[in-house]
């Protein structure tokens, strides 16, 4: 078996303060595909169409000081195949079902990108990634990295 390891950030010595960047890398080649400056507390929203239920799904993650992402809320319109029980508080709001206050920490998010399901990433309600911005049916990894500005 071959193990692919991406070294996403090398430590640097600098007197300048570090900044946080949301970075998306290819899961095998480690090539940087997209990057953008973010702040602690920013909300990263992933949205797509569920492949079985064919209804919208959204997840909100909050950027943490240590570069991790905390899943705060999941929204979906159909409670069926593939819906995990996250914990937190469940409620229904109009056509949406929500799990809130999930508070589950992730060091990175990994997925196989699909343009077909209209996968999109927003940062504080501004579109950062549209479906066509990333390679179709490829493994991707989203991380928050610390870097010293150039």
């Amino acid at each position: 078996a071959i193990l692919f390891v991406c070294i996403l950030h090398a430590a640097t010595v600098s007197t300048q303060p570090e900044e946080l960047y949301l970075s998306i890398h290819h899961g095998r080649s480690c090539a940087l595909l997209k990057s953008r400056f973010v702040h602690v507390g920013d909300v990263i929203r992933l949205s797509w169409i569920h492949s079985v239920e064919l209804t919208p799904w959204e997840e909100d993650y909050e950027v943490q000081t240590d570069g991790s992402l905390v899943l705060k809320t999941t929204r979906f319109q159909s409670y069926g195949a593939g819906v995990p029980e996250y914990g937190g508080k469940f409620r229904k709001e109009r056509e949406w079902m929500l799990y809130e206050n999930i508070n589950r920490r992730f060091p990175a998010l990994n997925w196989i990108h699909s343009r077909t399901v209209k996968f999109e990433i927003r940062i504080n309600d501004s579109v950062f990634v549209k479906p066509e911005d990333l390679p179709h049916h490829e493994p991707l990894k989203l991380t928050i990295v610390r870097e010293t500005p150039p």
Side-chain angles (χ1 to χ4, degrees):
I2 297 174
L3 176 63
F4 290 97
V5 178
C6 295
I7 306 297
L8 298 178
H9 179 69
T12 57
V13 177
S14 173
T15 57
Q16 293 183 331
E18 292 180 316
E19 294 180 343
L20 295 175
Y21 289 86
L22 182 154
S23 296
I24 299 173
H25 289 84
H26 190 278
R28 286 189 301 269
S29 72
C30 301
L32 178 64
L33 302 171
K34 296 279 285 184
S35 184
R36 187 190 133 172
F37 175 73
V38 292
H39 296 93
V40 170
D42 281 351
V43 175
I44 311 301
R45 175 172 288 171
L46 309 182
S47 63
W48 65 94
I49 303 299
H50 190 282
S51 61
V52 175
E53 300 293 326
L54 302 178
T55 56
W57 188 294
E58 298 177 347
E59 294 182 340
D60 289 347
Y61 294 83
E62 185 179 87
V63 176
Q64 303 298 298
T65 305
D66 66 358
S68 64
L69 295 160
V70 172
L71 177 60
K72 302 301 259 180
T73 304
T74 298
R75 291 175 202 76
F76 46 92
Q77 292 184 347
S78 179
Y79 204 109
V83 177
E85 200 288 300
Y86 288 110
K89 181 181 175 186
F90 178 81
R91 70 182 176 91
K92 189 165 189 308
E93 181 179 286
R94 298 185 200 118
E95 73 274 4
W96 289 94
M97 288 172 253
L98 294 91
Y99 275 110
E100 299 174 303
N101 301 315
I102 299 167
N103 298 323
R104 187 169 166 203
R105 187 176 299 268
F106 293 86
L109 303 176
N110 297 286
W111 76 100
I112 303 296
H113 184 68
S114 173
R115 294 174 180 164
T116 307
V117 300
K118 301 178 182 168
F119 185 88
E120 182 177 88
I121 300 173
R122 293 178 169 265
I123 301 174
N124 298 328
D125 292 324
S126 293
V127 176
F128 171 60
V129 170
K130 297 176 189 169
E132 63 274 9
D133 292 343
L134 298 172
H136 186 56
H137 286 170
E138 292 291 331
L140 303 179
K141 183 174 191 166
L142 183 152
T143 56
I144 305 296
V145 296
R146 293 190 172 280
E147 294 184 7
T148 303

